[in-house]
Amino acid sequence: MSDPGFAGEIRDVDFADALGERYLSYALSTIMSRSLPDVRDGLKPVHRRILHAMQQLRLDPASGYKKCARVVGDVIGKYHPHGELAVYDALVRLAQEFSQRYPLVDGQGNFGNVDGDNAAAMRYTESRLSAVAAAMLEGLDEDSVDFRSTYDGEEEEPLVLPARFPNLLANGSAGIAVGMATSIPPHNVGELCAALQHLIDQPNCAVPELAAHLPGPDFPTGGVLVESAEAVAEAYATGRGSFRLRARWERETQPHGLYQIVVTEIPYQVQKGKLVERIAALLAERKLPLLADVRDESASEIRLVLEPRNRNVDADVLMEQLFRTTDLETRVPLNMNVLDAAGVPRVMNLKEVLQAFLDHRREVLQRRSRHRLAAVARRMEVLRGLVIVYVNLDEVIRIIREEDDPKAEMMARWDLTEVQVEAILNMRLRSLRRLEEIALRKELEQLGTEAGGLEALLASPKRQWRALAKEVAGIAAEFGGDTPLGRRRTLIGAAPAEVEIPVAALVEREPVTVLCSEKGWIRAIKGHNVNLAEQKYKEGDAPRFAIQAETTDRLVVFGSNGRFYTLAVGRLPGGRGQGEPLRLMIDLPNEHDIISMFAHRPGLKLLVAAQDGRGFLIDGDEALAQTRSGKQVLTPGADATAAVCVPAEGDTVAFVGDNRRMLVVDLAEIPEMARGRGVILQRFRSGGLADAKVFRLAEGLSWRQGENRTRTEFDLTPWRSARGGAGRSVPQGFPRSGKFG
């Protein structure tokens, strides 16, 4: 049996408190040690440990390469006790020129590509530090930053790198922690240095002054930044925002008036392979009717070829459609949530980030200066002792040869320190030449001058800022300017004007016949030569509307509630089945019915009227609705509903009531309105309006008699009257349904 005395301490703890405490510990660990970068060097712990391990392996830019497996092994064995794949993925990203604006690792081998292909295994790839990483590590062994023990206590690692290079904004960062995230796009280091110089010269400047030096991010894959200057400045002022990034493209002219579009740069972090697949899928789904084909002709440079459907396609309209439907246009978020110098996560604006970098560099400058000053003082102490040797050379030799304790004798004789005596005793005989004495005195003089300069630097903040300004100028000269690495890659463009894409450009144009049954089931059958007699409907249903249209048309529906509804013909269900209920596509109340349905034609005028005999003319373009709830145009009176909606093509209109009385009036007597109840068209003692028809008086009034017969009445004098009359009995042979047919 086990001894209960070894059970340890047992405490009663509330489960919610225990869970909260542990989750908080996890959250802090994620925020501090994994997801958020440090504002001073712009690195997360894993990246900092990779660079430090590579420096310990002496993988500087001038040395040879070593296997990445060797680097990963040192990182996880000494500094970062996590999975090797996670460390290798971080190392690979630091070496990818399409991921890092200024790569920190110089890779040799397959490190992946912009198509989304993975890097080769770590046993095949090699790496070393880049010149940018060397600038980040410069002065690390000069007491410039604090160190801490590693996880096993056997090694030490830096808390932060000296970071002569402004890495946070230059390379950007992204990460998701617990309850917070960061997203910082990369920028051009030359522009960053210009902003840093301005901040050094004008410490009290406002954020917009600094933003004037930063027109926007500079992505390694180029592209075109299409964001207004005001939006960019606002994002930098608050530390939050987003940037609209588009692919860069050009139009290549071909023989016979043809052309093709060539995409040469794609947005940041968009995988080219998936982008091409997306465009091809949209083509297969016929959602890009203006595009005929897409080809990937990329080699070392990106070259995506887009072929328009024909020479009449507007290139701007085609690209606008692609920008809206594919990742040829993306939004890059800005959320400058970082760890400050005290390790506290917070969102900083542009000035705070730049000031934190300068404050860090000033502290590094002070620490390196004090370190160097201490080293100079130690060397000068030794040199002063060595000079005594040359002044009293014979006596020093005698003491060393004859005295039992020459060290104590020399310290007492010439008031030397123990360090000086040790240096004298460790001198080589060849150093006793006269030339060596001259060199020592010259070195002592130079060190004295250097020590004076360091002391003056440490005592003068003005000199420190002047030294930082010189350092920033050096960074700009080394990594900025017109060098291949420093040249701006992302084009700064103005916010694009809104390009209206015609409806015809969204759907491939094809002839269709729209069928709608009495119960409101709607479908679109390809072609106009449709045998209506062969079409099948649900049991108990029957045909009602058959409209010839094209997939690019808009279908207008007029309900008995006086509202117009608009549907895209190209989005109607196909004709393989029996369609779908129209009421699922528009908000037509169950107590109301469909009065009319037709394909919209620009410039068409309509006559609308209610059962109470009131109505008016309306421009057909005004009847188009933008939402599924429709557009209220005709307002029927009490106990009345909308009854008629017919095209107003002609000069005369005939009305027929339920009482079988017909009235013919001039169309000019009916006013055109935008909405309302309308004017009195025909009066009724009983019943209401049954039907109306607009026609040309010279062509006569026609109506259908039976299935295949039509009758036309030319002499309409008995029924002609002014608007608002009651009319006379319909002509002999008029349909009993009271409809013109």
Side-chain angles (χ1 to χ4, degrees):
M1 289 182 64
S2 60
D3 188 353
F6 291 99
E9 181 183 1
I10 298 177
R11 291 178 297 160
D12 291 332
V13 180
D14 184 75
F15 180 75
D17 294 340
L19 187 62
E21 179 182 346
R22 284 155 178 78
Y23 188 76
L24 181 60
S25 299
Y26 162 73
L28 289 175
S29 174
T30 303
I31 293 170
M32 304 287 291
S33 304
R34 184 179 302 177
S35 300
L36 298 189
D38 193 295
V39 70
R40 295 169 291 180
D41 62 4
L43 297 174
K44 301 176 186 178
V46 62
H47 303 132
R48 194 177 298 118
R49 288 162 177 167
I50 289 172
L51 298 184
H52 179 55
M54 294 181 72
Q55 186 192 45
Q56 296 297 101
L57 289 170
R58 302 186 184 280
L59 294 177
D60 55 75
S63 69
Y65 295 89
K66 275 190 172 64
K67 290 288 187 182
C68 290
R70 172 74 185 277
V71 176
V72 172
D74 272 24
V75 172
I76 63 177
K78 294 181 178 180
Y79 309 109
H80 199 72
H82 296 279
E84 60 182 23
L85 290 180
V87 175
Y88 183 54
D89 287 345
L91 188 151
V92 165
R93 180 174 170 77
L94 293 180
Q96 290 176 337
E97 295 183 352
F98 54 87
S99 295
Q100 294 281 294
R101 179 63 180 83
Y102 302 92
L104 299 177
V105 172
D106 180 9
Q108 184 170 266
N110 177 14
F111 278 82
N113 55 39
V114 74
D115 277 331
D117 297 331
N118 294 326
M122 68 182 79
R123 60 182 177 274
Y124 300 120
T125 56
E126 298 177 335
S127 62
R128 66 182 179 186
L129 294 171
S130 68
V132 176
M136 293 285 294
L137 294 160
E138 185 178 302
L140 186 61
D141 56 352
E142 298 177 14
D143 193 33
S144 57
V145 294
D146 291 331
F147 280 70
R148 66 183 174 192
S149 298
T150 57
Y151 69 95
D152 58 1
E154 295 183 1
E155 303 277 346
E156 285 194 331
E157 61 176 338
L159 288 172
V160 66
L161 297 187
R164 183 167 65 91
F165 183 84
N167 182 67
L168 178 65
L169 289 176
N171 272 323
S173 184
I176 300 175
V178 177
M180 61 181 65
T182 185
S183 178
I184 304 173
H187 292 75
N188 185 275
V189 75
E191 297 166 356
L192 284 174
C193 288
L196 289 169
Q197 290 281 17
H198 184 81
L199 184 56
I200 293 174
D201 296 337
Q202 304 289 336
N204 297 322
C205 67
V207 176
E209 297 178 42
L210 296 173
H213 297 280
L214 286 177
D218 186 21
F219 299 97
T221 52
V224 182
L225 189 72
V226 287
E227 199 68 61
S228 65
E230 295 77 12
V232 173
E234 177 66 19
Y236 286 143
T238 60
R240 297 182 186 273
S242 64
F243 304 101
R244 192 174 169 189
L245 184 65
R246 283 183 169 182
R248 187 181 297 192
W249 61 278
E250 57 189 26
R251 174 174 172 159
E252 286 188 356
T253 304
Q254 294 183 310
H256 311 295
L258 300 175
Y259 76 92
Q260 64 184 16
I261 294 173
V262 178
V263 176
T264 57
E265 295 174 358
I266 61 176
Y268 181 54
Q269 292 185 332
V270 171
Q271 296 180 2
K272 178 165 63 67
K274 290 186 177 180
L275 175 63
V276 175
E277 289 177 5
R278 171 63 177 166
I279 297 176
L282 290 175
L283 267 176
E285 296 170 6
R286 296 187 175 184
K287 293 184 178 179
L288 296 175
L290 299 182
L291 186 66
D293 192 21
V294 56
R295 298 192 309 275
D296 186 3
E297 298 180 357
S298 305
S300 58
E301 303 291 335
I302 290 178
R303 180 180 169 86
L304 295 182
V305 179
L306 305 171
E307 288 188 5
R309 180 69 64 183
N310 54 59
R311 71 183 70 183
N312 298 322
V313 171
D314 190 317
D316 290 326
V317 174
L318 172 57
M319 291 306 298
E320 182 69 22
Q321 186 178 10
L322 288 169
F323 287 146
R324 294 184 184 183
T325 55
T326 70
D327 281 341
L328 285 174
E329 176 182 309
T330 61
R331 278 219 169 258
V332 181
L334 172 71
N335 182 16
M336 291 197 283
N337 189 10
V338 294
L339 299 175
D340 62 16
V344 178
R346 63 188 181 95
V347 177
M348 297 186 177
N349 60 29
L350 177 62
K351 182 177 180 180
E352 291 173 325
V353 169
L354 295 179
Q355 189 63 57
F357 172 76
L358 290 177
D359 291 342
H360 173 60
R361 286 305 301 166
R362 186 184 178 197
E363 182 182 353
V364 169
L365 175 65
Q366 293 172 347
R367 294 184 60 153
R368 291 183 68 185
S369 298
R370 284 193 287 266
H371 180 270
R372 177 59 183 165
L373 186 60
V376 167
R378 289 193 298 271
R379 179 61 178 165
M380 290 178 67
E381 179 184 359
V382 171
L383 291 178
R384 292 190 185 98
L386 295 179
V387 167
I388 292 177
V389 173
Y390 293 99
V391 175
N392 305 279
L393 185 57
D394 294 338
E395 184 65 16
V396 169
I397 293 174
R398 188 196 64 79
I399 292 174
I400 293 174
R401 293 183 62 185
E402 297 178 359
E403 295 293 334
D404 294 334
D405 190 359
K407 182 176 179 180
E409 181 66 23
M410 283 189 288
M411 291 177 64
R413 182 77 171 270
W414 292 294
D415 195 21
L416 299 176
T417 64
E418 187 173 350
V419 173
Q420 290 173 323
V421 174
E422 286 291 339
I424 293 172
L425 293 176
N426 291 329
M427 283 179 63
R428 295 182 178 181
L429 292 176
R430 71 175 63 177
S431 301
L432 299 177
R433 296 179 302 166
R434 178 65 181 170
L435 292 176
E436 292 294 335
E437 179 185 357
I438 297 173
L440 288 178
R441 292 184 181 277
K442 186 176 181 180
E443 182 183 357
L444 185 60
E445 182 180 353
Q446 291 174 345
L447 290 177
T449 302
E450 183 182 356
L454 291 172
E455 290 173 351
L457 176 67
L458 289 170
S460 172
K462 187 175 181 180
R463 289 193 179 190
Q464 295 170 16
W465 288 115
R466 194 158 54 236
L468 288 178
K470 184 178 179 181
E471 177 184 283
V472 170
I475 287 290
E478 185 177 358
F479 302 108
D482 201 31
T483 62
L485 188 62
R487 192 178 300 116
R488 171 168 269 279
R489 301 179 187 178
T490 300
L491 179 67
I492 301 297
E498 192 68 28
V499 177
E500 184 173 351
I501 302 179
V503 177
L506 300 177
V507 182
E508 189 171 355
R509 188 168 186 164
E510 292 180 338
V512 294
T513 301
V514 179
L515 301 180
C516 185
S517 69
E518 289 184 351
K519 292 187 177 180
W521 286 71
I522 193 169
R523 51 186 158 152
I525 301 175
K526 291 184 179 181
H528 285 168
N529 299 321
V530 177
N531 190 337
L532 300 179
E534 294 181 356
Q535 301 304 314
K536 296 181 179 180
Y537 296 86
K538 288 182 175 293
E539 186 177 352
D541 205 353
R544 183 177 181 187
F545 296 102
I547 303 160
Q548 291 186 349
E550 293 180 332
T551 51
T552 55
D553 289 339
R554 284 173 288 185
L555 187 69
V556 180
V557 179
F558 184 63
S560 61
N561 56 353
R563 300 182 79 91
F564 280 97
Y565 304 88
T566 306
L567 294 170
V569 174
R571 296 181 181 178
L572 294 178
R576 288 183 178 272
Q578 295 172 335
E580 295 180 8
L582 181 62
R583 294 181 189 272
L584 296 179
M585 306 174 193
I586 59 176
D587 293 337
L588 179 66
N590 292 330
E591 64 270 18
H592 289 283
D593 194 10
I594 301 170
I595 300 299
S596 179
M597 181 182 295
F598 54 91
H600 172 71
R601 296 289 178 266
L604 177 68
K605 293 188 182 298
L606 302 171
L607 172 66
V608 293
Q611 287 177 331
D612 57 6
R614 301 179 72 100
F616 54 89
L617 295 175
I618 180 176
D619 187 344
D621 295 336
E622 295 294 326
L624 295 177
Q626 303 299 325
T627 63
R628 60 178 291 152
S629 60
K631 184 177 183 179
Q632 186 74 50
V633 174
L634 178 65
T635 306
D639 299 327
T641 58
V644 172
C645 176
V646 294
E649 297 177 329
D651 53 18
T652 311
V653 57
F655 300 101
V656 176
D658 294 331
N659 56 5
R660 295 184 63 79
R661 299 182 73 87
M662 185 171 75
L663 175 68
V664 178
V665 302
D666 292 336
L667 187 65
E669 294 187 39
I670 302 176
E672 183 175 334
M673 301 171 60
R675 62 179 59 85
R677 188 177 177 188
V679 297
I680 297 176
L681 305 176
Q682 184 179 7
R683 297 181 185 274
F684 310 98
R685 289 186 178 180
S686 61
L689 181 66
D691 199 6
K693 183 175 183 179
V694 180
F695 62 99
R696 299 187 186 280
L697 185 62
E699 298 174 358
L701 176 62
S702 301
W703 60 83
R704 181 176 297 178
Q705 284 187 331
E707 293 185 0
N708 301 316
R709 294 175 56 195
T710 301
R711 178 181 171 182
T712 303
E713 184 73 38
F714 291 96
D715 184 11
L716 299 173
T717 304
W719 295 278
R720 287 182 62 82
S721 180
R723 174 181 60 80
R728 296 184 61 178
S729 298
V730 296
Q732 187 176 3
F734 192 82
R736 294 185 176 276
S737 63
K739 306 285 185 180
F740 289 100

